[in-house]
Amino acid sequence: YIRMEQCYLMLIIRNASGQIEGPFNTEKVLYKIGRGEFSGEEMIAHYPGGKWIPISQDPQFYDKLLEVLSDDPNVEASEDTAVLEFTRPEGYTGPKPNAGDTSPSEAVTDPGVRTPPLEEKSSPSKKKKKRSRRPEDIELVDMRPALMKAIIKRARWPLLVTVAAIAVAAILLATSGPKEERLRLVAPQKNQPQVGLESLKPRIRSGVGEFLKDTLGGYLKAQNEFIFVVERNQKNAEVMALLCMTYLQLWPYTYQDYTDSRVVSKVVQMALQVDPGGIHSAACRVVDLAVRGPSREQEAKSLVESVLDTWSREGQPPIMFYFLKGHLLENSGEHATAIGYLQSAQKLWPQWILPFVVEAQALTKLERYNEAGNIYRNILRSNPAHTVARIELGILEYKYFNRNEQGERYLNQALENTDAPRIVLSRGYLGLAEIALKRQDNSKALNFAQRAYSLSASNNQAKNLIVQLGGLGKVPKGRGWLEVFEGDQAFREGDYHKAQEHYKQAFAADRNALAALKAAQCLWRMSLSTEAIQWLNEAIKADPKMIEAYVTMADYQAQRYDFLAASRVLERARKENPKSHEVYRGFALVELRRNNSKGALTYGKQALQLYENDVETLIVMAEASLAIRDFKMAYNYASKAVEMDVNHRKAQVAYAEAIAGLQGVDAGADYLLKLVNSYSSITEYRLALGKMLLADERFQQAEEIFRQVIKLEEKPKDAYVELAKVLKAQGNNDEALDLLLKAAVLDPADAEPLFLAGSILIDMKEAQKAMLQFNRVITINKLYPLVHYQLGRAAMLLGDPKSALDYTAEEKKANPNLADAYLLAAEAHTVMGQYSACAGEYQKAIKLRPQQAMIYVKLAQCYRKSGNTDAATSMLNVASKKEDGLADIYKEYGAIYELKGDVNHAIESYNQYFVLDPDAPDREQIEERINALQSGKTP
């Protein structure tokens, strides 16, 4: 557990009989312990929603409990209660803040500085004092034995109670095991009294000084200071950015679950409210994307690049973003490129230790060991308490400089603490294992290797050493957070199968809802949609308040056209959190996918009322406005989204489409072309440009764009599909079919390529082949819209109107709001001579497409053939009001007049039909009828 100087969360207490008191703040709990109101047997939890733990296991209250339970209130804690301290070199009296009063805006730029400033060394003659325990220390020993002794020693209770207390303590001791030293991120609280910035400057300077040290303890103190400032001055976006950067460094030590990620999201929202589209809110957004896992890292990289492009030309270079760029490049294995950005950050803010650490790690991977070692030595001169630098230098000393004793000394000193990321600690223990193995101390080597593997299951060297020394049975089983870490690594490498296995194991270990969500995201990318939705259900069961899981499930179901299920999931989410903007955004997205743009706009407005700067909601609103051709409103929403996140690809595409709607296709295409030229590797902009040109029937230009995308992408499924549409429009059906089948192979769970292939085959009158493709679509997704309708079309081509009616019935069940099935059913009834039924189907179609004049013409035809010429004429009158230039109206008028024996009007109507459609396919037959009418013969 992590002990912090200040606690911003309230606490509740549950006594042995189950009664709950509180909520109290930390000081109130300590006061009650001092008065003897709490004995040490109580359970404590953060309010609201925290997990219950014994109060005796919380380091904040442990000392006070010992003091109260001891005979001598001033007695010192026994050795059992001691915590391990940071290693300090001989004569070192403690690190001083590194330019603690220097904020980023006040930092002096010195391009010549390449190492952190050195601390002043204390005189060797001074005695080394044992320091008091600090809030950042991680408890590494079991506190319960000392507490049990103190309870027994102090006990003046009846014998039965004393025995019970001993039994409880014995159970605690018996169940003790390796503990996971993890912490929770702390979020700023609202409704704090606001004060002026001047009075908060000492806290800012203190927080920056702690941040610069790049140690766990420093980051915990920085978090407290920055939260204090943000709570009391909620307009300071720069401090919010520093708080977000602090969260990024604390993230490896947290539970890394939904609770922690929501803390980051909360500060992101605060930053966006005071700094929309600014550099400070952008820093928070990058951190938010980074902590969400490797699935969002590409977005983080894009945002960083965008900020660097925009702000590097300004007077204040974006220091944080040079580091973030280097950090992300280092994570993706681009070590040499990362170093350049890290050095830029160092020159701009030489007091900040972290960029030096990351550079040294990159140099090590590039096998530039001497340079890395020099940087680590300079870091330790600046801050001897820097555990990461000590571990990394120890590894270099024994492994590459052949100084085993010196390396072992560094590692032993460093590993007395756990204030380093697990993967670094794992490497350190592996180093000790290898050193022990060289001395042929196999027992110690095995022990160190097991500890290394327990900290990082990706440490295959440690695993191999364990197997070598003790066999497979000695390999420790991974814990939940380790499995999440390994899953993230596999996801980053694109190995979704391996990643989902790790996430599932993590969920099995501690029911981590975020692990279940990540497993679902992997499964979805693997085209295992049903299993993905099952794992989202597991995430919701594990944490019913995890709104992201509900929204993700609704999105997946909507993409599978199961809109009813999607709406039900979101209703469940709304009951859990009726004021969540994410839930209303989810409703908006579902309605947009089901082509209900007005409904999407209604829900989107509700989402924006709750969080007006949500970029994702703004994009949904822009797309819904485009769908109803409200280009001005689409422009307003899209432009705001671009202002908030200039590098958001969907926002930029929506903005370009809005420009095209307002100013013409050329203007929209020019905007996209500029994006293509600026970001040549981002294929989304090329795809959007190609789609815009295709919609404007500029087939040759669109074809060129899509072929460019195919060359650029490794798996260009979308480009194959769009190019197939272009080729079909140009009459090149054979190549179009070939491309669609290639797309289907790339993503077997996507039914669209097969559906389009079947549609082309229908147009080619190859009904049997078309039915084969449509049946494959049903196998993938039986809810895919219009697939049964297309099967009905194929049946009609095969001369089987009865089967066509069966297919249309299935389509109506799946998609009752699509008119196509009713239209096809009407055609089938017409072929079967069932004209009343035909009229009924057309009437239903009219309710869904009231503006389409041709449906009224066909309904008139059914009425005419059933003998109801008055109703037929009435329908034609409606059709002519909607589209007076539709040639078929006059052909049907001619047939009605002919049936009534009105020869002159019949001939006149037929001639008008030819005027409107000179190349009518049935012109020859109609001319024969006109001749027959003129000769007085029955045609």
Side-chain angles (χ1 to χ4, degrees):
Y1 294 90
I2 302 299
R3 183 180 175 193
M4 299 183 183
E5 280 185 320
Q6 295 178 341
C7 180
Y8 293 93
L9 299 178
M10 301 298 284
L11 303 163
I12 52 176
I13 312 294
R14 186 176 71 196
N15 63 24
S17 62
Q19 294 178 324
I20 295 177
E21 299 181 56
F24 306 121
N25 59 25
T26 303
E27 290 72 19
K28 186 70 172 180
V29 175
L30 290 168
Y31 173 75
K32 285 179 171 287
I33 292 173
R35 288 175 55 87
E37 295 182 33
F38 297 147
S39 64
E41 296 181 77
E42 293 80 10
M43 304 290 284
I44 192 165
H46 289 300
Y47 177 82
K51 295 181 179 179
W52 290 104
I53 62 168
I55 192 172
S56 60
Q57 287 189 11
D58 193 317
Q60 314 183 84
F61 308 125
Y62 171 71
D63 290 335
K64 192 68 175 177
L65 284 165
L66 276 182
E67 178 186 315
V68 172
L69 293 171
S70 173
D71 280 334
D72 182 0
N74 301 314
V75 70
E76 290 187 6
S78 69
E79 288 300 315
D80 289 333
T81 68
V83 294
L84 301 182
E85 302 183 19
F86 288 117
T87 302
R88 295 177 174 222
E90 187 67 31
Y92 180 69
T93 59
K96 299 174 184 177
N98 296 324
D101 58 349
T102 305
S103 67
S105 60
E106 298 168 332
V108 179
T109 301
D110 184 0
V113 177
R114 285 288 297 114
T115 58
L118 303 184
E119 298 264 358
E120 293 182 7
K121 292 185 178 179
S122 60
S123 171
S125 62
K126 292 183 179 180
K127 290 185 179 180
K128 185 171 59 174
K129 295 183 179 180
K130 181 178 179 180
R131 67 166 173 81
S132 59
R133 181 159 43 182
R134 293 187 173 188
E136 66 268 24
D137 293 340
I138 299 178
E139 195 66 55
L140 298 178
V141 298
D142 197 335
M143 303 180 295
R144 290 167 288 190
L147 183 58
M148 186 183 71
K149 293 176 186 176
I151 292 174
I152 296 171
K153 187 176 179 181
R154 180 66 174 169
R156 297 195 178 109
W157 307 317
L159 178 61
L160 182 61
V161 177
T162 303
V163 171
I166 293 173
V168 170
I171 292 171
L172 290 174
L173 290 172
T175 58
S176 65
K179 292 187 288 184
E180 296 179 13
E181 295 84 15
R182 293 186 286 170
L183 58 86
R184 286 288 184 200
L185 296 180
V186 182
Q189 301 300 301
K190 295 181 179 180
N191 304 320
Q192 294 290 336
Q194 299 297 288
V195 299
L197 183 61
E198 192 66 31
S199 64
L200 295 172
K201 282 187 176 179
R203 304 299 289 256
I204 297 174
R205 286 194 291 268
S206 173
V208 171
E210 296 295 339
F211 177 85
L212 293 171
K213 295 177 183 177
D214 185 41
T215 60
L216 174 59
Y219 287 126
L220 286 170
K221 289 179 180 178
Q223 176 185 235
N224 286 343
E225 298 288 19
F226 294 147
I227 286 174
F228 185 92
V229 174
V230 169
E231 287 178 336
R232 287 156 180 79
N233 191 309
Q234 295 183 0
K235 301 295 184 182
N236 196 319
E238 185 175 7
V239 176
M240 292 177 189
L242 285 166
L243 177 57
C244 290
M245 293 295 293
T246 303
Y247 286 153
L248 181 62
Q249 301 312 312
L250 287 174
W251 187 255
Y253 306 95
T254 68
Y255 287 81
Q256 299 184 13
D257 59 9
Y258 187 65
T259 301
D260 289 320
S261 66
R262 292 300 296 170
V263 172
V264 181
S265 297
K266 180 178 180 179
V267 178
V268 172
Q269 292 185 25
M270 294 176 69
L272 283 170
Q273 287 175 350
V274 299
D275 184 39
I279 193 169
H280 303 306
S281 63
C284 281
R285 292 194 62 244
V286 171
V287 171
D288 188 37
L289 292 167
V291 302
R292 287 176 182 269
S295 63
R296 308 298 295 275
E297 276 187 7
Q298 187 55 50
E299 294 175 64
K301 288 179 181 178
S302 298
L303 182 53
V304 168
E305 289 169 3
S306 173
V307 172
L308 287 173
D309 288 344
T310 303
W311 288 85
S312 58
R313 296 186 293 270
E314 301 294 329
Q316 292 184 343
I319 304 170
M320 295 290 187
F321 285 85
Y322 285 121
F323 165 75
L324 288 168
K325 176 74 171 180
H327 169 71
L328 292 169
L329 286 169
E330 170 63 12
N331 277 353
S332 60
E334 300 175 64
H335 312 302
T337 310
I339 288 172
Y341 286 96
L342 294 166
Q343 290 178 352
S344 295
Q346 295 163 13
K347 291 175 182 177
L348 290 165
W349 201 4
Q351 297 87 356
W352 189 15
I353 289 178
L354 180 59
F356 293 93
V357 176
V358 180
E359 181 193 3
Q361 290 171 330
L363 288 168
T364 300
K365 292 168 185 173
L366 292 171
E367 300 182 2
R368 293 160 63 179
Y369 305 122
N370 286 323
E371 295 173 68
N374 289 335
I375 292 178
Y376 287 132
R377 291 186 189 96
N378 285 324
I379 291 170
L380 289 173
R381 292 189 193 105
S382 176
N383 183 3
H386 200 288
T387 303
V388 172
R390 194 170 293 277
I391 291 173
E392 300 284 20
L393 183 56
I395 294 171
L396 290 175
E397 290 286 356
Y398 93 86
K399 196 166 187 175
Y400 302 109
F401 303 151
N402 296 316
R403 295 193 282 262
N404 290 348
E405 291 184 4
Q406 192 166 347
E408 184 178 27
R409 185 167 65 253
Y410 276 124
L411 292 173
N412 279 323
Q413 290 171 343
L415 293 170
E416 287 180 351
N417 299 304
T418 58
D419 57 336
R422 300 178 191 104
I423 194 167
V424 178
L425 293 172
S426 175
R427 289 202 300 270
Y429 279 114
L430 177 62
L432 289 177
E434 290 176 342
I435 293 171
L437 187 64
K438 288 182 180 179
R439 294 176 179 163
Q440 298 184 344
D441 189 344
N442 291 356
S443 175
K444 186 176 285 188
L446 176 61
N447 179 267
F448 283 133
Q450 287 174 322
R451 297 176 77 174
Y453 188 74
S454 294
L455 285 161
S456 175
S458 65
N459 195 332
N460 290 321
Q461 290 176 282
K463 182 178 180 181
N464 293 337
L465 187 54
I466 295 167
V467 174
Q468 175 188 335
L469 296 173
L472 280 171
K474 294 293 184 180
V475 177
K477 293 183 178 179
R479 289 178 284 181
W481 50 263
L482 282 173
E483 296 293 349
V484 171
F485 177 80
E486 303 304 330
D488 287 349
Q489 290 293 100
F491 192 106
R492 207 170 273 118
E493 295 165 4
D495 190 345
Y496 304 123
H497 179 75
K498 183 178 179 182
Q500 60 92 24
E501 286 183 343
H502 282 296
Y503 293 139
K504 288 177 180 178
Q505 290 170 14
F507 182 77
D510 55 16
R511 293 190 63 78
N512 184 329
L514 189 58
L517 172 62
K518 290 184 174 185
Q521 291 170 334
C522 288
L523 292 163
W524 184 262
R525 288 172 180 253
M526 294 165 60
S527 302
L528 300 173
S529 54
T530 301
E531 191 177 354
I533 290 172
Q534 289 173 351
W535 273 92
L536 287 169
N537 271 317
E538 292 296 330
I540 291 169
K541 289 177 186 176
D543 185 358
K545 295 188 178 300
M546 187 180 188
I547 298 302
E548 186 179 356
Y550 295 95
V551 174
T552 302
M553 185 192 293
D555 184 27
Y556 287 175
Q557 288 169 328
Q559 289 186 55
R560 289 184 57 79
Y561 305 99
D562 194 348
F563 301 115
L564 182 59
S567 297
R568 286 173 179 166
V569 169
L570 291 171
E571 285 295 347
R572 288 167 57 194
R574 181 156 54 180
K575 289 179 181 178
E576 289 291 339
N577 189 345
K579 293 186 177 181
S580 169
H581 74 277
E582 294 169 296
V583 173
Y584 287 100
R585 184 218 299 152
F587 274 117
L589 184 58
V590 169
E591 293 304 314
L592 183 63
R593 291 194 188 281
R594 68 187 292 185
N595 296 318
N596 180 12
S597 301
K598 291 183 178 179
L601 290 168
T602 299
Y603 282 118
K605 288 176 182 176
Q606 291 176 278
L608 291 175
Q609 287 174 357
L610 294 166
Y611 180 25
E612 64 178 348
N613 293 321
D614 183 33
V615 174
E616 301 298 331
T617 303
L618 291 169
I619 293 169
V620 172
M621 295 293 281
E623 291 175 343
S625 300
L626 287 168
I628 61 174
R629 303 185 67 79
D630 188 344
F631 299 117
K632 184 177 181 180
M633 191 59 67
Y635 179 86
N636 291 339
Y637 285 122
S639 60
K640 186 173 182 181
V642 169
E643 179 186 349
M644 301 297 301
D645 185 354
V646 71
N647 214 51
H648 199 299
R649 297 169 191 182
K650 291 182 69 176
Q652 289 283 15
V653 170
Y655 184 69
E657 291 176 353
I659 291 175
L662 289 173
Q663 303 176 24
V665 174
D666 287 338
D670 286 344
Y671 185 83
L672 285 172
L673 189 59
K674 289 177 183 177
L675 291 173
V676 168
N677 292 331
S678 299
Y679 307 98
S680 58
S681 62
I682 297 178
T683 55
E684 284 94 329
Y685 297 141
R686 291 181 193 268
L687 275 170
L689 176 59
K691 289 179 182 179
M692 186 176 288
L693 296 170
L694 171 59
D696 200 45
E697 298 185 357
R698 302 184 191 183
F699 301 126
Q700 188 173 354
Q701 293 173 278
E703 179 181 350
E704 181 181 350
I705 295 294
F706 293 135
R707 292 194 187 279
Q708 290 175 6
V709 176
I710 289 170
K711 291 179 181 178
L712 289 170
E713 285 193 344
E714 183 180 353
K715 295 182 178 181
K717 183 197 74 172
D718 293 336
Y720 282 151
V721 170
E722 296 302 326
L723 180 55
K725 294 177 183 177
V726 173
L727 295 172
K728 177 182 180 296
Q730 294 175 321
N732 189 350
N733 288 328
D734 290 336
E735 188 181 355
L737 284 170
D738 182 58
L739 289 169
L740 291 169
L741 294 177
K742 285 182 179 178
V745 170
L746 288 177
D747 187 357
D750 187 358
E752 183 186 17
L754 297 174
F755 179 83
L756 293 174
S759 301
I760 291 175
L761 289 167
I762 284 282
D763 294 339
M764 295 171 67
K765 310 299 183 186
E766 296 190 32
Q768 291 287 2
K769 291 181 179 179
M771 293 186 85
L772 176 64
Q773 299 302 330
F774 292 132
N775 282 319
R776 290 174 65 189
V777 171
I778 290 174
T779 302
I780 296 170
N781 184 0
K782 63 182 180 181
L783 294 176
Y784 195 90
L786 297 178
V787 64
H788 291 98
Y789 161 76
Q790 293 287 21
L791 281 166
R793 287 184 66 199
M796 290 290 287
L797 285 175
L798 294 171
D800 188 358
K802 187 176 183 304
S803 293
L805 284 174
D806 292 337
Y807 285 125
T808 58
E810 290 295 321
E811 188 65 48
K812 292 173 191 175
K813 289 179 185 177
N815 297 289
N817 294 323
L818 296 179
D820 302 81
Y822 300 98
L823 295 173
L824 183 61
E827 290 180 25
H829 284 302
T830 301
V831 171
M832 297 169 70
Q834 300 170 349
Y835 301 119
S836 295
C838 157
E841 296 291 348
Y842 279 129
Q843 286 172 345
K844 293 173 184 176
I846 283 173
K847 292 179 181 179
L848 297 170
R849 291 186 189 170
Q851 299 304 317
Q852 191 165 334
M854 192 63 194
I855 300 178
Y856 292 92
V857 174
K858 291 186 175 182
L859 176 56
Q861 187 181 55
C862 288
Y863 280 136
R864 173 177 60 81
K865 290 183 177 181
S866 66
N868 191 346
T869 55
D870 291 339
T873 303
S874 177
M875 291 301 101
L876 290 177
N877 291 338
V878 174
S880 63
K881 290 179 182 177
K882 292 185 177 297
E883 190 178 345
D884 187 49
L886 182 62
D888 289 87
I889 294 174
Y890 297 93
K891 182 174 73 171
E892 188 58 32
Y893 269 133
I896 292 172
Y897 287 129
E898 185 180 348
L899 185 64
K900 290 181 176 180
D902 190 342
V903 174
N904 291 332
H905 281 100
I907 293 172
E908 183 182 346
S909 297
Y910 286 140
N911 285 327
Q912 182 63 25
Y913 171 59
F914 293 146
V915 169
L916 294 173
D917 188 2
D919 299 321
D922 56 351
R923 182 174 185 122
E924 187 176 336
Q925 294 93 322
I926 298 297
E927 287 177 341
E928 289 179 1
R929 298 180 68 148
I930 292 174
N931 292 333
L933 288 170
Q934 288 174 337
S935 63
K937 298 179 181 179
T938 302

